[in-house]
Amino acid sequence: RRLVREMMFYWKKQGKGSARERKQADREAAEARKREEEAREEKRKQQQLNFLLTQTELYAHFMAKKIGHEQPDPLADKEGKL
């Protein structure tokens, strides 16, 4: 009878330990997914900003030519920097 009680206590303790480990692993996986999602979102925002800046530079260059002012080509300047 005592042996049965000790076995029940042991398996109950093992169950709690494995549940704690599972929760910890799930928590770490969720945090990793969150960090990856934040990195993807940051990259997307940076690409969107770069696109808008390029479009703005092109529009300004186009309007300057149309008005008659000579400005250096913004794309040629960027290519020189690369």
Side-chain angles (χ1 to χ4, degrees):
R1 187 171 175 104
R2 180 177 174 191
L3 182 62
V4 171
R5 218 176 325 143
E6 287 178 9
M7 285 178 48
M8 292 288 287
F9 178 72
Y10 172 79
W11 287 112
K12 195 175 195 181
K13 187 176 178 181
Q14 287 296 102
K16 287 182 181 180
S18 64
R20 191 177 315 120
E21 290 171 0
R22 262 194 320 271
K23 284 182 183 179
Q24 180 66 23
D26 290 345
R27 194 175 310 122
E28 289 173 357
E31 288 174 3
R33 282 192 303 269
K34 184 178 178 182
R35 283 191 302 271
E36 289 172 1
E37 181 64 31
E38 288 173 351
R40 269 195 302 272
E41 182 66 20
E42 185 65 31
K43 183 178 177 184
R44 185 192 68 79
K45 285 181 179 181
Q46 186 62 44
Q47 288 174 338
Q48 185 178 20
L49 178 64
N50 288 343
F51 172 77
L52 290 173
L53 287 174
T54 302
Q55 293 300 308
T56 303
E57 289 172 354
L58 288 173
Y59 180 75
H61 178 71
F62 172 75
M63 291 306 291
K65 272 190 171 181
K66 193 168 190 169
I67 293 174
H69 295 108
E70 274 303 312
Q71 289 184 348
D73 186 8
L75 291 182
D77 189 37
K78 270 192 175 179
E79 290 172 358
K81 290 180 182 177
L82 296 177

